[in-house]
Amino acid sequence: MSDEATGRRQRHGGRGGNARRTPGFHLDQMPWRIPFNPDRPTEPIDAEGVQAIHKGAMHILSEIGIEFLNDEALQIFREAGCRVDGITVRMDEDFIMEMVRRAPASFTITPRNPARQITIGDGHMVFINVSSPPNSWDIKRGKRPGDFETFRDFMKLTQFFNCIHVAGGYPVEPVDIHPAVRHLDCVAEKLILTDKVCHAYSLGRERVEDVMEMVRIAGGLRHEDFDASPRLYTNINSVSPLKHDFPMIDGALRLARRKQAVIVTPFTLAGAMAPVTMAGAVTLSIAEGLAAIALLQYVSPGCPVGIGTFTSNVDMRSGAPAFGTPEYMRATQITGQLARFYGLPLRSSGVCTANVPDAQAMWETSNSLWAAVQSGSNMVYHAAGWLEGGLIASPEKFVMDCEVLQMIQRYFEPATYATTPEDIALDAVKQVGAGGHYFGCEHTQARYTNAFYSPIVSDWRNYEAWQADGAVETPERAHRIYRDIIDNFEAPAMDVAIREELDSFVTRRKAEGGAPTDF
């Protein structure tokens, strides 16, 4: 790690590292937990519909084929007995289903802090920060290109909020760091500022191998311990329609061989890169996803994988992607049915098309998040901070989204649907009687402090009280919370020897040039 980068982290860390610290700052958020979704999934299609999509996907795989722009993948498919014609691979249903059956229905990922271990599958649901926007936006500075300092701010938000379980991809691309070494600075900073599960971009051999080694170092692990169970994950996308590119398949193979998790998420926009009908778009998405999963299971049987859905529609007037739409919700729910049919964990997203954190942003994101709940999703990408169809990350939106995520977590809690005698509360009904009120009764007094969800951003006062207190609207409240978090942030502890080894690795890899680029 360069002296400048190391010094920058040291100047910001610890109690003495931030002159703007707010005395007494505290946000009464929910404690850390891995949510479990108790609800039956929404299932828009019947068993015949599931079979129709399955058979359609099998037809695509066996008769139309998927292009793989990766020579190693093509050779593996030949060895597996698939039909390879140039770069097009065709595979039969028996092969696909045999490979899918090798995949685990659930798995854990353990970061450098074992207390932050997450479960993917088995009814659990984890939320992941916004990942990969090139720009950021806040109410003071507006829209601007991403930089390393803003990247660090989002990492601090990711660590601070207990409802964010995974430090996913870069929450904003720091364009002030050269791409050859960007992964080194960003992942090192991520591992220092957070102790949550980490993500690796599958964008070339060097980046993937470097990130695996950095995660191993940060966890204080021997190589054999790292390879023994999942410690990080990658998410790869197909190049819809009907194509997988070289770097993502290369990265997925590297992680799968070391038993690290791979999520395969086709990006199928109905009317643009997929059929305009939602069933057609989902069918194409399933085919593309299963093709890559079959490859990984052939190479590394039992490696942890998941299937993702990023199927939505476009604005047919402009061609721009649209998110949080009714069509997006149905596609997510239907993909959930197919994921359960194949016995695979499901990834979906918390996305919107809105450009600023306004009402549109929240209704579109709420649609997306509740579709994740309804579909039985196990991983929710971009759950906090996403704007402009993924082109903007906003700290105010991040805070506002965390309010919704906490509400979903509360919605999952048994207290919201319990039916014990104490919950039916007949004694309280008898005590209060006709025309009374329940504020002062014993049943209420014993429960009032935690009877209901307590908001972190929402203002539940009446108009006059809100106006008298400055009439502060939600984005401004969220901005103040964001600034308080940043100004009072303390990084999680890291062993000094581990920190030195991590810095030494980054310094060496930078001296070696990092990842090759053509500029």
Side-chain angles (χ1 to χ4, degrees):
M1 182 68 65
S2 69
D3 291 340
E4 178 186 359
T6 303
R8 183 161 56 238
R9 285 199 302 273
Q10 290 171 341
R11 286 195 297 273
H12 282 78
R15 287 194 176 274
N18 199 323
R20 293 184 295 182
R21 184 172 299 279
T22 305
F25 169 71
H26 174 72
L27 193 69
D28 191 17
Q29 62 171 319
M30 286 181 166
W32 167 269
R33 91 277 297 272
I34 304 301
F36 179 84
N37 184 352
D39 286 9
R40 288 188 295 272
T42 298
E43 298 191 335
I45 59 176
D46 59 17
E48 290 183 359
V50 170
Q51 279 297 317
I53 290 177
H54 167 68
K55 292 299 183 183
M58 295 302 106
H59 179 86
I60 291 171
L61 290 167
S62 64
E63 303 301 324
I64 300 173
I66 307 290
E67 292 185 356
F68 281 82
L69 307 182
N70 184 297
D71 289 340
E72 182 185 12
L74 295 173
Q75 182 57 34
I76 292 168
F77 280 122
R78 289 190 190 97
E79 293 174 2
C82 299
R83 292 161 287 151
V84 180
D85 181 11
I87 61 172
T88 301
V89 179
R90 295 177 177 85
M91 54 197 88
D92 294 333
E93 180 175 354
D94 288 346
F95 170 75
I96 288 287
M97 296 306 290
E98 180 185 351
M99 295 302 105
V100 168
R101 282 192 291 270
R102 294 180 175 183
S106 66
F107 53 88
T108 61
I109 309 178
T110 307
R112 71 176 180 92
N113 178 0
R116 302 284 200 179
Q117 183 186 80
I118 62 173
T119 299
I120 306 300
D122 195 28
H124 295 90
M125 188 176 195
V126 300
F127 300 122
I128 306 171
N129 60 339
V130 60
S131 302
S132 304
N135 305 296
S136 63
W137 181 99
D138 66 59
I139 63 175
K140 304 298 184 184
R141 293 173 289 181
K143 182 178 179 179
R144 64 194 192 283
D147 57 41
F148 193 52
E149 196 61 28
T150 306
F151 168 91
R152 297 181 75 256
D153 283 355
F154 278 103
M155 283 293 101
K156 293 174 183 179
L157 293 174
T158 296
Q159 174 66 15
F160 177 85
F161 279 106
N162 293 326
C163 61
I164 301 298
H165 307 100
V166 176
Y170 310 160
V172 66
E173 284 284 343
V175 298
D176 54 339
I177 300 178
H178 194 279
V181 297
R182 186 179 298 168
H183 67 290
L184 297 168
D185 278 336
C186 287
V187 175
E189 200 74 359
K190 182 186 299 187
L191 290 168
I192 291 163
L193 293 177
T194 81
D195 60 1
K196 299 179 180 181
V197 166
C198 186
H199 161 274
Y201 282 111
S202 287
L203 296 174
R205 173 178 63 86
E206 291 80 6
R207 292 183 178 89
V208 170
E209 296 291 349
D210 284 345
V211 174
M212 284 195 287
E213 182 63 4
M214 293 165 76
V215 170
R216 185 194 69 78
I217 292 170
L221 302 167
R222 299 175 301 172
H223 289 282
E224 55 267 34
D225 295 329
F226 177 88
D227 294 344
S229 62
R231 302 288 177 171
L232 79 162
Y233 78 101
T234 190
N235 178 88
I236 68 169
N237 303 110
S238 57
V239 185
S240 302
L242 301 173
K243 187 178 295 186
H244 284 280
D245 69 9
F246 175 86
M248 289 204 168
I249 290 297
D250 177 81
L253 286 168
R254 291 177 186 278
L255 268 75
R257 286 184 170 119
R258 298 187 68 179
K259 300 301 182 183
Q260 304 305 309
V262 179
I263 311 302
V264 183
T265 308
F267 185 13
T268 44
L269 286 175
M273 299 116 72
V276 73
T277 53
M278 300 319 295
V282 170
T283 300
L284 178 63
S285 175
I286 292 295
E288 293 175 356
L290 292 182
I293 288 171
L295 172 70
L296 300 177
Q297 292 301 324
Y298 182 81
V299 167
S300 182
C303 67
V305 296
I307 193 163
T309 173
F310 210 70
T311 299
S312 193
N313 56 290
V314 296
D315 180 350
M316 297 303 286
R317 296 167 295 184
S318 67
F323 298 106
T325 64
E327 293 82 7
Y328 173 93
M329 296 179 72
R330 283 303 194 197
T332 302
Q333 294 162 1
I334 294 169
T335 306
Q337 293 185 252
L338 271 296
R340 290 187 292 279
F341 176 77
Y342 297 117
L344 296 170
L346 175 66
R347 171 238 149 146
S348 62
S349 301
V351 287
C352 67
T353 314
N355 298 311
V356 294
D358 58 7
Q360 177 187 336
M362 298 315 295
W363 75 58
E364 290 174 344
T365 302
S366 291
N367 285 349
S368 300
L369 291 173
W370 282 103
V373 172
Q374 294 164 342
S375 65
S377 292
N378 306 113
M379 302 178 77
V380 185
Y381 245 67
H382 315 300
W386 166 293
L387 284 174
E388 201 194 354
L391 297 178
I392 289 176
S394 162
E396 294 89 355
K397 177 68 161 36
F398 196 109
V399 174
M400 293 160 67
D401 286 337
C402 284
E403 181 85 277
V404 180
L405 300 181
Q406 286 206 147
M407 289 182 175
I408 291 172
Q409 290 190 161
R410 172 58 177 173
Y411 170 85
F412 288 161
E413 290 180 0
T416 63
Y417 56 86
T419 56
T420 68
E422 285 295 306
D423 293 290
I424 301 299
L426 294 181
D427 289 342
V429 174
K430 181 179 179 181
Q431 176 189 351
V432 172
H437 68 76
Y438 286 81
F439 286 113
C441 78
E442 181 181 344
H443 187 268
T444 301
Q445 290 297 305
R447 294 165 176 79
Y448 76 94
T449 56
N450 58 3
F452 307 120
Y453 174 75
S454 180
I456 56 174
V457 189
S458 299
D459 189 331
W460 289 354
R461 297 173 296 180
N462 64 26
Y463 183 88
E464 287 73 21
W466 168 77
Q467 186 178 47
D469 197 28
V472 180
E473 297 189 15
T474 304
E476 174 62 32
R477 292 197 299 275
H479 180 85
R480 294 177 183 180
I481 293 171
Y482 141 64
R483 283 310 324 169
D484 278 339
I485 293 169
I486 301 306
D487 294 343
N488 293 274
F489 182 79
E490 294 184 48
M494 176 179 278
D495 181 84
V496 172
I498 288 176
R499 172 67 182 271
E500 290 176 350
E501 185 180 359
L502 182 62
D503 285 348
S504 177
F505 175 83
V506 172
T507 299
R508 175 174 64 82
R509 287 293 296 122
K510 282 187 170 183
E512 294 169 352
T517 65
D518 56 4
F519 60 95

